[in-house]
Amino acid sequence: MYSFKHWTKTSKFLAVLSAATMSSAFAADLPTAQQIFEKMGLGINIGNTMEVPGNPTLWGNKFPTEAYIKGVKAAGFNTIRIPCAWDSHATNSVINESWMDSVQTVVDYCVKAGLYTVLNIHWDGGWLEENLKDDKKTEVNAKQKAYWTQIAKRFKDYDEKLLFASANEPATTDENYKNESKILQGYHQTFVDAVRATGGNNASRTLIIQGPSTSIDRSVEAYPASMMPNDVIANRMMFEVHYYDPSPYTIVGEPVNWGAIVEPQYYWGEENYATGADIVHNCGYNPWGNAMGTPCSANDMQVAFKKMKTNYVDKGIPVIIGEFGANDRLGILKGDDYNRHRKGRIGWYKAVAQAAFDNKVVPIAWDTGHEGENHMTIIRRQSDPDGSVFDPEVMNAMRNVYGMPNLDGSSNPVISTDTDKSIKAEFTIADSTYGQIEFSSVPKDWSKISSVSIRAFFDGTISKVGDDYGFIAPNLVTMDGTDWNWQEAGLGEVELGTWNTYEVKVATTGESGSNLMVPGNPTNIVFMGLQIYTLGYTGNVYVDWIIFKNTDGTADTLDFNLVGAKNVGGGITAKSLVATESVKATTTAIKAIAKKQGQQSLTRQGNMLVAQGTRASIRLFDLNGNLIREVRGHSGSATMDLAGIRAGSYIAKSGNNTLRTNLK
């Protein structure tokens, strides 16, 4: 972020790593940059804190708390960036141990919360940022190598949720930016080599490279994809630029002389523009021509981010917008003027998020922390409650773009129809079977989730099989990683040929019911899927998004615009991502026929499973949902011999009855 140097804005922590943040003792290849990028979603910076030279509380923000980090996650962010100073916490390029512990404390808060965490070397006096000079290369490279070697060694066992970023905003000049970009390339190469040399998970960790001045246009011209550093492993790099455009609107606080007097611009979007003498404060006003220029609009962001997509993303290099933001002119404007400013500012944030979403780049908002004049604060950390949403209108504007409802749950997700995707799962077996869609990136902690909503489209035909009526019975299933408890909750009756939202309640106090999810260990969920038990069904199942509603009124969304199903199985023989708007019914919408089970029971008797009831049958599944064995009964009963099945835990099903079975 532009530090106070550039703009007028305003004991020892011992970190203990939990097993959840650590990899195994034997390092394996971490996921690729592209695989990580697909899960990063919206991001936010811990601004004006850890990057403050010498003292993280000097600029008014307290040391980050775990409550604050949890609040970031609860608000809908999936990525957090930690701008960090190192040189001002070092002696002869050796980082103070106490500072390393302090940084690790914050990193642990972030990865524990499930956030993809970007740790960088920030401005910190400009030792790198302002020294893209031939006579400084030896000195800067020595520090770059020393610091990244120490940082990388401390975090070498962390998993893919921790990413390293070489620098912040390496400054180039208009006169010499091409040579300065080549010098910057050398600094980045030193960073990559230093990190890789430490081994462990750093051998395959995703690393982030900053463009010259983190400017979109300068990067495209002077730092093309071909200038990315050499690496010993493929597909483990991202590229970073920042977006504070146009600067008179986003960050200029006082009139400045740039060959003409440029006034701060307060009003974004033609529908919010001022008239009369106040047009000088409209975004897009041309002070050199003393008249309105091209009005600012959402197209500006689309044009800018399209350049990143074309020049980097489409060439296999994921891109993050490491910082973006626009000052809130609270206290400067009043009444209708401030209201007009607020509407435009909310529109600006939404336009940035939409352009990022459409052009497949990750947007990471700058957050200043302070709550007064010219703030960019989204999450509260200087007043109570710590970690709560300070600016819900801006937050909701971005959430809606990413398919998340307003924080109060009052709106439906809004996603660009140009890029909205759904999972398509194809059933091709019409006889008695099941299908399973396994989802990735699901919440690990369900202790504060009150319900799960799934927007799905079931299409196809249901017919009789012999004397049995056909049916389709979808269930939300979870499994914890503690005792490997397998739990199911029915979605209820489905309607073929139309989009519907199906909701499953999550138990918190021992409730029960067929559509109630009761997680075994709600703080350690490792698997979630959609299990679909069918008879006589052939067709397709589409899933658009899944919303996890929390007890505090917030919500998190899992959509599938970039990430599809992790695995499919059973009667599902193919999976793909398709445009949601292309999903059409192939048959007239009808209610799916519920299977008449009658009075049934399922018990284990020694090494036999016994089911009693009309048209009794037994199906045995492993904990990944794979069908292991199936028997159909006669004359009202069915038995299954468990002999020959390998030791482990299994789920037996007969009609609506479920029985967990452990084999030794």
Side-chain angles (χ1 to χ4, degrees), residues 439 451-459 472-476 489-506 515 528 530 532 537 540-549 589-592:
F439 304 112
S451 67
V452 181
S453 295
I454 301 176
R455 185 172 188 254
F457 189 112
F458 298 89
D459 186 40
I472 178 170
N475 298 276
L476 180 69
L491 267 58
E493 188 176 37
V494 302
E495 187 172 358
L496 297 183
T498 184
W499 283 106
N500 276 310
T501 299
Y502 303 89
E503 186 172 33
V504 170
K505 301 295 183 182
V506 177
N515 73 328
M528 186 183 86
L530 190 62
I532 307 166
Y537 173 72
N540 300 319
V541 175
Y542 304 86
V543 180
D544 188 9
W545 45 250
I546 302 173
I547 294 178
F548 303 89
K549 295 182 181 178
I590 60 170
K591 295 285 185 180

Side-chain angles (χ1 to χ4, degrees), residues 161-176:
K161 280 194 163 62
L162 180 62
L163 299 83
F164 295 151
S166 177
N168 173 50
E169 291 176 346
T172 56
T173 63
D174 291 344
E175 298 78 21
N176 198 30

Side-chain angles (χ1 to χ4, degrees), residues 21 130 243 247 258 288 311 349 416:
T21 68
E130 297 176 10
Y243 190 81
S247 58
W258 289 344
W288 294 271
N311 289 280
Y349 273 87
S416 167

Side-chain angles (χ1 to χ4, degrees), residues 399-651:
R399 283 173 60 92
N400 289 171
V401 169
Y402 278 76
M404 292 179 274
N406 286 343
L407 292 169
D408 61 4
S410 62
S411 73
N412 293 322
V414 178
I415 302 177
S416 167
T417 56
D418 293 334
T419 56
D420 185 19
K421 301 289 181 63
S422 296
I423 293 173
K424 177 183 179 182
E426 300 176 22
F427 276 81
T428 59
I429 302 175
D431 204 350
S432 176
T433 189
Y434 84 102
Q436 173 182 288
I437 304 172
E438 179 183 351
F439 304 112
S440 57
S441 302
V442 299
K444 181 178 181 180
D445 187 352
W446 285 48
S447 61
K448 294 183 173 61
I449 295 178
S450 59
S451 67
V452 181
S453 295
I454 301 176
R455 185 172 188 254
F457 189 112
F458 298 89
D459 186 40
T461 59
I462 296 176
S463 58
K464 292 181 66 175
V465 177
D467 293 332
D468 291 340
Y469 287 103
F471 71 95
I472 178 170
N475 298 276
L476 180 69
V477 298
T478 63
M479 182 171 64
D480 68 57
T482 306
D483 295 320
W484 307 107
N485 290 294
W486 178 276
Q487 302 292 336
E488 300 186 2
L491 267 58
E493 188 176 37
V494 302
E495 187 172 358
L496 297 183
T498 184
W499 283 106
N500 276 310
T501 299
Y502 303 89
E503 186 172 33
V504 170
K505 301 295 183 182
V506 177
T508 55
T509 57
E511 306 97 321
S512 62
S514 62
N515 73 328
L516 189 70
M517 175 60 66
V518 189
N521 180 351
T523 64
N524 191 24
I525 300 300
V526 297
F527 168 92
M528 186 183 86
L530 190 62
Q531 287 275 38
I532 307 166
Y533 299 99
T534 70
L535 180 66
Y537 173 72
T538 300
N540 300 319
V541 175
Y542 304 86
V543 180
D544 188 9
W545 45 250
I546 302 173
I547 294 178
F548 303 89
K549 295 182 181 178
N550 302 313
T551 55
D552 63 0
T554 62
D556 299 297
T557 298
L558 177 64
D559 66 47
F560 306 100
N561 296 293
L562 297 173
V563 182
K566 183 176 181 180
N567 291 303
V568 297
I572 299 177
T573 58
K575 64 176 181 177
S576 59
L577 279 177
V578 299
T580 300
E581 63 181 358
S582 70
V583 177
K584 308 294 183 185
T586 58
T587 58
T588 304
I590 60 170
K591 295 285 185 180
I593 302 172
K595 185 177 182 182
K596 305 295 189 257
Q597 299 290 349
Q599 297 297 316
Q600 295 192 355
S601 65
L602 176 63
T603 60
R604 180 172 178 180
Q605 300 175 18
N607 208 37
M608 304 292 291
L609 295 177
V610 179
Q612 302 286 342
T614 307
R615 295 188 297 275
S617 63
I618 304 173
R619 286 179 289 178
L620 187 70
F621 301 90
D622 65 19
L623 293 187
N624 289 321
N626 299 309
L627 182 64
I628 303 300
R629 185 171 292 180
E630 180 176 14
V631 297
R632 295 191 181 185
H634 303 281
S635 302
S637 68
T639 60
M640 177 183 288
D641 188 351
L642 300 176
I645 299 175
R646 64 189 300 179
S649 294
Y650 297 88
I651 301 295

Side-chain angles (χ1 to χ4, degrees), residues 287-309:
W288 294 271
N290 296 315
M292 275 300 302
T294 303
C296 295
S297 72
N299 187 58
D300 301 335
M301 293 78 160
Q302 292 285 353
V303 170
F305 294 176
K306 178 68 172 178
K307 294 176 183 177
M308 302 313 295
K309 183 176 185 299

Side-chain angles (χ1 to χ4, degrees), residues 8-234:
T8 55
K9 306 185 308 190
T10 55
S11 160
K12 179 174 181 179
F13 293 84
L14 181 61
V16 180
L17 286 179
S18 69
T21 68
M22 301 285 287
S23 69
S24 67
F26 300 97
D29 281 356
L30 298 182
T32 66
Q34 182 64 34
Q35 290 169 325
I36 292 170
F37 157 81
E38 290 173 352
K39 302 175 184 179
M40 290 175 73
L42 273 173
I44 192 171
N45 282 268
I46 310 177
N48 292 353
T49 309
M50 303 301 288
E51 84 278 20
V52 181
N55 182 352
T57 65
L58 187 63
W59 291 352
N61 289 317
K62 60 188 176 184
F63 193 87
T65 65
E66 188 169 16
Y68 163 69
I69 300 301
K70 288 181 177 178
V72 166
K73 178 65 174 177
F77 294 106
N78 211 35
T79 294
I80 193 164
R81 181 172 176 260
I82 308 175
C84 198
W86 300 96
D87 193 55
S88 56
H89 296 278
T91 304
N92 297 323
S93 298
V94 177
I95 301 167
N96 300 336
E97 188 74 10
S98 60
W99 179 244
M100 191 71 83
D101 291 340
S102 296
V103 174
Q104 188 173 1
T105 297
V106 180
V107 170
D108 285 350
Y109 289 158
C110 295
V111 295
K112 180 181 177 182
L115 293 161
Y116 285 88
T117 303
V118 177
L119 180 64
N120 83 349
I121 286 181
H122 214 70
W123 176 73
D124 198 15
W127 66 267
L128 183 152
E129 307 267 299
E130 297 176 10
N131 280 308
L132 304 185
K133 303 172 183 177
D134 288 311
D135 62 352
K136 290 290 186 178
K137 289 191 294 187
T138 300
E139 176 185 339
V140 171
N141 273 315
K143 279 191 175 184
Q144 181 82 324
K145 180 179 180 180
Y147 290 149
W148 276 115
T149 298
Q150 295 167 73
I151 298 165
K153 283 182 177 179
R154 175 60 72 103
F155 296 102
K156 67 186 294 184
D157 292 324
Y158 283 62
D159 67 14
E160 71 274 9
K161 280 194 163 62
L162 180 62
L163 299 83
F164 295 151
S166 177
N168 173 50
E169 291 176 346
T172 56
T173 63
D174 291 344
E175 298 78 21
N176 198 30
Y177 64 87
K178 291 185 178 179
N179 183 57
E180 290 161 346
S181 295
K182 292 179 181 178
I183 296 172
L184 175 62
Q185 182 186 32
Y187 294 166
H188 287 328
Q189 188 66 59
T190 297
F191 156 68
V192 172
D193 293 344
V195 172
R196 295 291 184 237
T198 61
N201 283 342
N202 290 333
S204 56
R205 186 175 310 285
T206 289
L207 306 179
I208 303 174
I209 302 304
Q210 294 66 43
S213 300
T214 52
S215 159
I216 290 176
D217 288 335
R218 184 151 292 178
S219 294
V220 169
E221 179 186 357
Y223 210 105
S226 60
M227 285 183 66
M228 294 294 282
N230 296 321
D231 200 358
V232 295
I233 186 170

